[in-house]
Amino acid sequence: MSVIRFLRGIIKPYIIVFKHAISKPHTIKYPYERLMFSDGYRGRISLRFEKCIGCGLCSRTCPNRAIEMVEIEGEKHSFPQINFGRCSFCCLCVDVCPRGALFSDEVVELSVIKRDDLIYHPYKLSNPQPLESILKDLKKTITVQIEDGRLSYTLLRRREENV
Amino acid sequence: MTFIFRLTDKMLRWGFKSSIWPAHFVNGCCSPELMQLAGPRYDMERFGVLPLPSIRHADALFIVGVISRKMADRIRMLYEQMPDPKFVVAVGSCAISGGPFYDSPFIVKAEDIVPVDVFIPGCPPRPEAWLQGILMLREMIWQGRKG
Amino acid sequence: MLIDEILGWIKLNLKDLIQIVLFPGIAFILIFAVAATWFERKYLAHSMLRIGPLHTGRVAGWLQIIADFIKLTGKEVITPRNVNVFLFNLLPVLSVCTSAIAVAFIPFSSDWIIYEGNGISLLLFFAAASLTPYITLMLGWISNNKYSIIGAMRVSYVYISAEIPAFLAAMGVAIMAGSFSLIDIVEAQSRIPFLIPQILGFIVFFIAFLAEVERVPFDIPVAEQEIVAGWRTEYSGINFGVTMMMDYIPLCTWTLLFVTLYLGGYQGPLIFASQTLSNFFWILLKFSLVIVVILLFRSVFPRLRMDQTLRLTWKYLTPAAFLNLIITAIIAYYYPDLFGLIGAS
Ligand code: SF4
Ligand code: SF4
Ligand code: SF4
């Protein structure tokens, strides 16, 4: 009996893995396809320049001290400047802003070659680079959907839509 | 003659670009994303990125997460043991600038100990962000730049 | 004049030269090493529902291994301090050469074999294949690194403990065929492959040869989680590329021996016009099937511990191989007619 159990323990996983080897892979071919995150995903922070009143609440709230208020010539008050090299994408600044001037989107592709490029001046913050210009090869995006109360997370049943 | 040099250079750059073997030095909580990156969903091996155990076989060093002062020595040692040409990728807010521990006296930034080529911000960076950093490194190698 | 002599010599030895340089010699082994590396990466990736190399080369990342080798040639070669520089750089090349010798004794057709070995090619195969662990041991020892030497010691442990059952199991086949010559062994399987009458020996030999080529679940000498990269920890650059190739050459030779001993070697129905081509087809087909089966072990099974491996080989495989040998010998002595039934001598 134990011999049979032993042999089953060898043969059964082998068959399972072999079935995997000949079935369709679950990979998202990333720079060409991209998974769209759920609503409210905390990604890059951007600024609505005209809404900000320079109260500095975001800067004081930030747990990482990633926001610095900078003066801009020709403007009456200062504006937030975010250092994404230090930000932990908690979005406390978005929550606390009394005017709703800060918002986050689902862009996470922020890699740079020079560290100083991670410090986003208010002007750069208010002109967020669209996803298509970061990922030039992006062909299609994949959306996770909820079907009958269950998260359909398999690529085999994915809904595809153009950006 | 120049043509042969150009060709060799191009071939080597192509080789370096399409087979980056990283060694990862993981200190912090960014590491689950690395597993995710090597796993079925994002699969960095599509680009020839194959994690290997020994630092002697590595082309790129992924410095992941928070670097304490004691670890800084080790990272420097690892970096010096890597064979040329070598590239360094700093992953996570902690490695770039301290992140949540920005004011701790025991935290060192990756750029202060080794020359870093690509910075990948995030806390932790999503696998997408990480892959984009790897693509950026590939592009950088292909154009022959150094960070 | 000299040219004429050389040309005459080449004409005289044309068949031998083709065998040594092209098939089943150097070119075959190198192509096998590259193709097997690519196939293993792709196959293992698919078994984990990944894709594996994809964006290097238009079709399925077929240029990936070539890119790896180009990169490795461009890397710096580090020689550690206090190391014999000459031996350190010579041994990887030597290991590839010595482990490739064994392919010379494998018959790919009744008239296509590099060296018949005067009727003892099975013994010669074991002698040649056993050179590899010595070189590996030296490779690990000379690196002047604790992980390397632990890996090298593990190589010798695993190899010796697996060599004995493998050899004893092969002896059963030799008794059955009545000869040590691999050609005779293959010819004796013309009616039924030795897989069926020698089932016990078959199982023992299969497990033992997995241990000898350091495949999972016996890849203890290069256990990543315990001893960084085993005996090849210190090798960098192209030296590392060569040691990586070293993995696949014993795999090639031992799998060929396995096919020859138990699966009927080059025997098979005639499908091409020429008997030789048909024989090539059959041995390569069986060879690829066995390779496909054992490469997948890497993503199925966990690694055995050192003591578990030794217990398995010494406590179970060696007695089983002895039992197989004794049964075969008794039948061969008292009831030799039984062998006639299945077509053996
Ligand atoms: S998201 Fe959090 S860490 Fe980043 S700037 Fe806003 S408050 Fe600071
Ligand atoms: S972004 Fe919002 S919280 Fe920050 S200074 Fe402007 S108005 Fe105040
Ligand atoms: S960047 Fe964030 S996730 Fe990464 S190690 Fe630091 S705290 Fe952890």
Side-chain angles (χ1 to χ4, degrees), chain B residues 14 18-19 21 45-48 50, chain C residues 29-47 50-69 215 244-245 247-248 251 291-292 295 298:
Chain B
W14 175 75
S18 26
S19 110
W21 290 351
E45 207 187 338
R46 283 180 296 135
F47 297 99
L50 179 73
Chain C
I29 289 179
L30 290 185
I31 290 173
F32 171 77
V34 171
T37 319
W38 175 83
F39 179 72
E40 178 174 20
R41 280 175 74 172
K42 205 68 188 159
Y43 189 37
L44 289 188
H46 272 276
S47 76
R50 295 188 285 129
I51 299 186
L54 180 66
H55 298 299
T56 315
R58 285 279 153 76
V59 184
W62 67 281
L63 281 174
Q64 184 62 53
I65 306 303
I66 296 160
D68 286 348
F69 266 87
R215 300 308 299 181
M244 240 176 110
M245 216 155 73
D247 258 12
Y248 290 92
L251 181 68
I291 292 281
V292 167
L295 282 188
R298 190 153 152 197

Side-chain angles (χ1 to χ4, degrees), chain A residues 47 51-59 69 80 96-99 101-102:
Chain A
L47 177 70
K51 277 199 177 177
C52 176
I53 51 171
C55 62
L57 270 180
C58 50
S59 161
M69 302 302 292
V96 85
C97 177
R99 299 286 309 252
L102 290 171

Side-chain angles (χ1 to χ4, degrees), chain A residues 20 23-28 155-156 158, chain B residues 40, chain C residues 45-46 49-51:
Chain A
H20 280 178
S23 63
K24 198 167 178 287
H26 282 186
T27 307
I28 299 172
L155 280 181
L156 306 174
R158 69 198 176 196
Chain C
H46 272 276
L49 297 172
R50 295 188 285 129
I51 299 186

